[in-house]
Amino acid sequence: MVRHPSFKSSSFILFLNKTDLFEEKITAGVHLSNFILTYNGPKYDVEKGLDFFKNMYIRARQDVFNEAGKETPDTPFFVHFTCSTDTEQISNIFNSIKATIMMQNVKEMAL
């Protein structure tokens, strides 16, 4: 979706859920490169693995704008690593969603 030209002017909120399970697998000895050939980061590093996924989506979104001759996207792109049982984290996510909606409304009213 982040690469599709129809969504070029859309805000995105990316939820990378189940980080608790991801951490469990990585610390148990599973290496991402066994499943994702483009991953060449350190073995058993949860943070580097999460960053790899986040950056993969950020790069894909940036590619759309580069192809259109623009340097940066002009719409927000929020990335959240989530564990749905963490209530504080879910609260932060809802705040991001509200901020996105508010920014879009302000932008539309200025037109």
Side-chain angles (χ1 to χ4, degrees):
M1 284 183 68
V2 296
R3 287 183 191 256
H4 198 280
S6 297
F7 295 105
K8 189 167 59 172
S9 61
S10 298
S11 300
F12 276 92
I13 302 173
L14 175 64
F15 299 102
L16 297 172
N17 195 26
K18 303 208 183 261
T19 55
D20 53 334
L21 297 178
F22 179 77
E23 181 175 2
E24 186 179 300
K25 295 287 185 186
I26 296 299
T27 56
V30 176
H31 192 275
L32 281 179
S33 65
N34 294 343
F35 304 97
I36 301 173
L37 300 177
T38 57
Y39 181 75
N40 59 4
K43 291 184 177 185
Y44 320 120
D45 188 326
V46 174
E47 292 302 316
K48 295 290 184 186
L50 291 173
D51 282 344
F52 170 80
F53 287 113
K54 177 178 95 173
N55 291 329
M56 182 174 66
Y57 283 97
I58 289 172
R59 280 191 308 274
R61 181 164 166 79
Q62 185 63 50
D63 287 348
V64 172
F65 288 89
N66 290 343
E67 290 167 6
K70 293 179 81 176
E71 287 187 28
T72 68
D74 53 359
T75 55
F77 188 85
F78 297 101
V79 179
H80 294 282
F81 299 107
T82 62
C83 174
S84 60
T85 59
D86 185 341
T87 56
E88 182 179 341
Q89 186 179 60
I90 298 302
S91 177
N92 290 336
I93 290 167
F94 282 124
N95 288 335
S96 291
I97 292 169
K98 286 191 287 186
T100 299
I101 292 169
M102 293 284 284
M103 284 189 288
Q104 186 63 34
N105 286 341
V106 168
K107 184 178 178 180
E108 288 175 9
M109 291 177 78
L111 297 175

